[in-house]
Amino acid sequence: EVQLVESGGGSVQAGGSLRLSCAASGFTFDDYAIGWFRQAPGKEREGISCIRNSDGTIYYADSVKGRFSISSANAKNTVFLQMNSLKPEDTAVYYCTADYTYDCSGTYNPLWDYWGQGTQVTVSS
């Protein structure tokens, strides 16, 4: 069974840090692009980061560049999103995604193969 399970969300004050984890199972993890999305109330879902270990490609959206860092622990089929200098506007549900063909270029990908259920991140001012 294919699964993506996010963890590490919670509440933090502005300026603080959180590390999200995405644990994957049921597929060949390092052959896939692994992405992070977020969705805040009343806003469209935003792709914020992506990593493809096969060619080393990493992408960050401008909204998080310089503050967030994506990394992988392939032996554990896990991708992390280290979030530093958090701002109230980072408050959202964060989702982990996986896709076999996406190149992590940052261009729109209409259909990701797999989605996690999301983890809530709340940043207070």
Side-chain angles (χ1 to χ4, degrees), residues 3-124:
Q3 281 193 304
L4 292 171
V5 180
E6 302 95 337
S7 63
S11 298
V12 66
Q13 290 189 335
S17 298
L18 287 172
R19 188 179 72 165
L20 305 184
S21 298
C22 172
S25 62
F27 63 96
T28 306
F29 175 80
D30 55 357
D31 288 341
Y32 283 70
I34 307 296
W36 284 98
F37 285 74
R38 66 185 182 185
Q39 188 163 28
K43 296 185 178 180
E44 293 185 349
R45 192 164 53 241
E46 177 190 17
I48 58 172
S49 191
C50 186
I51 184 169
R52 179 172 282 280
N53 290 320
S54 61
D55 59 11
T57 301
I58 290 177
Y59 163 81
Y60 299 104
D62 289 341
S63 58
V64 306
K65 192 175 298 181
R67 299 187 297 119
F68 292 10
S69 179
I70 191 169
S71 62
S72 64
N74 292 343
K76 297 182 178 180
N77 285 1
T78 302
V79 165
F80 303 99
L81 185 68
Q82 179 67 44
M83 306 187 297
N84 298 324
S85 301
L86 284 163
K87 305 174 181 179
E89 51 263 45
D90 295 319
T91 296
V93 177
Y94 284 71
Y95 298 90
C96 177
T97 64
D99 192 87
Y100 184 74
T101 58
Y102 186 54
D103 60 2
C104 280
S105 65
T107 59
Y108 176 69
N109 183 22
L111 183 63
W112 288 77
D113 293 335
Y114 309 115
W115 287 81
Q117 294 184 340
T119 185
Q120 176 70 48
V121 171
T122 302
V123 184
S124 60

